[in-house]
Amino acid sequence: MASIRDVARHAGVSNGTISRYFHEPERVRMETRNKIQVAIEQLGYLPNALARNFRLGKTKLVLALVGALGDPFYGDVLAGVSYVARQRGYRIRIQEFTAGSLSHTDLNHIVTSREADGIIVLGGAAPFRRNAGEGESAANPAIVVCGETADPELLHYPRVQIDGFSAAREITLYLIGLGHRNIAFMRGEPGFSMIQDRETGYRAALEDAGIDIPDDWLADGNLIISDARRATRKLVNAKTLPTAIVCANDEMALGTISELQTMKFSVPGDISVVGFDNIRYGEVSNPQLTTVAQPAQSIGETGMYRLLKVMDNPLSEAGVVYLPHRVIIRQSAGIAPKSRSIR
């Protein structure tokens, strides 16, 4: 079986030129390309699958940018992305990012240099910011966003998500239906783009019910258990003690329940707690967590299907696809207590 060295020797070029022929053919003169092609045909050289993909302008690799790699929700989304990718012969490379850690040009380079054919962004904040002088007309790599976002950098890309506003409004209305009037909200951090719609939905439900929202009913749990514990202590020291807390994700809800129990509050007897995302741990918490379920794996599968279309035709996909959510009723939310003390 002929090797790359055999092809290089037969064509009268260096091994490096053969490598560029497969990886960056635009850097090889047409005359030289023709000589290499003749050598390949005469020797019967069979390039491996990766080399063939480079010649076709494809890597068969998708880059998944994840804002929180340890988040169980995004793990399930990635499972959906990977399932479809494997079916279509693609590999997935996973990279964790912080908001704004890449430039728009960086992502373009990843695709144009054939490091990846397309990019899946998982998380509410954009991993990149446009460079100075780049406008909406700047060339875009093939990008699809999986999950809620209010980040203006991501809003013009194809997206797959649930309607976070409607979901948060629905679970807050559920608490109101149980008689709760003092309902606090635990968010990530002010203006955090993933959960902005969730906070807006919470506010809308209380406003529809004629309930004012004091500033001390809003706490920043930063989407993690340790900060949720601190935020819980802030909420129970509010002027008016909440009878229920809506947490913008399940991890904060689990931290809130644990901290309330440490402080000798009964959940849901004294304070009800609800979460968001339906991560697997909520079903085995004590009490089991009432939450909003997202179809995480379906979000990943749908996102990968959309990316395949974008990679074939950048103008084929636009806008947002909403998948259905559902409120799962468990034991962490109950009927509101009859009275509350004023602090």
Side-chain angles (χ1 to χ4, degrees):
M1 184 179 293
S3 68
I4 285 182
R5 288 189 180 88
D6 296 329
V7 173
R9 190 162 44 246
H10 194 84
V13 298
S14 68
N15 292 339
T17 300
I18 298 295
S19 178
R20 282 192 295 276
Y21 172 79
F22 286 120
H23 293 73
E24 300 174 285
E26 69 279 359
R27 293 182 57 194
V28 180
R29 291 185 304 168
M30 182 60 68
E31 179 184 353
T32 304
R33 275 189 262 173
N34 291 338
K35 289 168 58 178
I36 294 172
Q37 184 60 39
V38 168
I40 288 172
E41 292 172 357
Q42 290 180 350
L43 294 175
Y45 173 70
L46 296 175
N48 62 32
L50 183 59
R52 286 197 302 271
N53 288 335
F54 274 118
R55 287 190 62 200
L56 294 171
K58 292 183 179 295
T59 67
K60 302 297 283 187
L61 184 142
V62 166
L63 176 63
L65 296 174
V66 187
L69 199 53
D71 190 315
F73 170 73
Y74 287 118
D76 291 339
V77 175
L78 278 172
V81 172
S82 298
Y83 174 74
V84 174
R86 285 194 305 270
Q87 285 186 324
R88 298 300 182 90
Y90 278 83
R91 297 167 296 125
I92 301 294
R93 191 182 94 199
I94 301 169
Q95 179 177 328
E96 194 168 21
F97 70 85
T98 56
S101 59
L102 300 170
S103 73
H104 190 260
T105 301
D106 290 334
L107 298 196
N108 267 312
H109 179 72
I110 287 171
V111 175
T112 57
S113 65
R114 297 177 185 169
E115 293 180 43
D117 294 333
I119 298 168
I120 294 270
V121 178
L122 293 84
F128 58 88
R129 287 289 178 261
R130 288 179 183 271
N131 296 327
E134 284 186 330
E136 291 296 321
S137 61
N140 291 323
I143 294 177
V144 169
V145 181
C146 288
E148 298 156 82
T149 183
D151 193 315
E153 288 283 1
L154 297 180
L155 293 180
H156 62 282
Y157 293 107
R159 308 192 311 280
V160 181
Q161 62 180 79
I162 66 165
D163 183 342
F165 171 89
S166 296
R169 182 175 180 275
E170 182 177 344
I171 201 167
T172 306
L173 288 173
Y174 170 72
L175 291 172
I176 292 172
L178 293 175
H180 293 277
R181 304 283 294 179
N182 302 346
I183 305 173
F185 184 79
M186 189 178 296
R187 56 196 176 188
E189 57 188 66
F192 186 70
S193 60
M194 183 184 77
I195 59 171
Q196 188 169 313
D197 285 348
R198 300 180 190 183
E199 181 177 343
T200 305
Y202 153 81
R203 289 178 177 274
L206 266 62
E207 289 168 6
D208 289 347
I211 300 172
D212 293 330
I213 305 172
D215 289 341
D216 58 3
W217 280 3
L218 300 173
D220 306 327
N222 296 317
L223 304 181
I224 58 176
I225 288 175
S226 58
D227 286 354
R229 289 179 175 275
R230 173 189 50 74
T232 300
R233 293 192 293 272
K234 173 182 180 293
L235 289 174
V236 299
N237 285 297
K239 181 178 179 181
T240 301
L241 182 66
T243 64
I245 301 173
V246 177
C247 297
N249 76 347
D250 284 348
E251 186 167 340
M252 289 193 300
L254 296 175
T256 296
I257 290 173
S258 178
E259 188 64 22
L260 288 172
Q261 291 171 338
T262 298
M263 299 174 74
K264 307 304 181 184
F265 286 96
S266 169
V267 179
D270 296 320
I271 301 176
S272 292
V273 178
V274 299
F276 214 106
D277 292 337
N278 192 35
I279 63 174
R280 61 185 70 97
Y281 309 117
E283 193 172 0
V284 295
S285 63
N286 184 22
Q288 292 180 324
L289 183 63
T290 293
T291 187
V292 172
Q294 295 200 61
Q297 184 156 338
S298 293
I299 289 174
E301 292 176 4
T302 305
M304 186 62 204
Y305 280 126
R306 295 198 80 186
L307 184 62
L308 290 168
K309 292 182 179 179
V310 173
M311 290 188 298
D312 286 340
N313 179 4
L315 301 179
S316 65
E317 291 281 300
V320 57
V321 171
Y322 289 106
L323 297 186
H325 68 271
R326 60 192 178 97
V327 173
I328 297 182
I329 307 302
R330 298 195 183 109
Q331 290 79 46
S332 67
I335 295 173
K338 292 183 178 179
S339 63
R340 272 294 180 232
S341 61
I342 304 299
R343 301 287 172 96

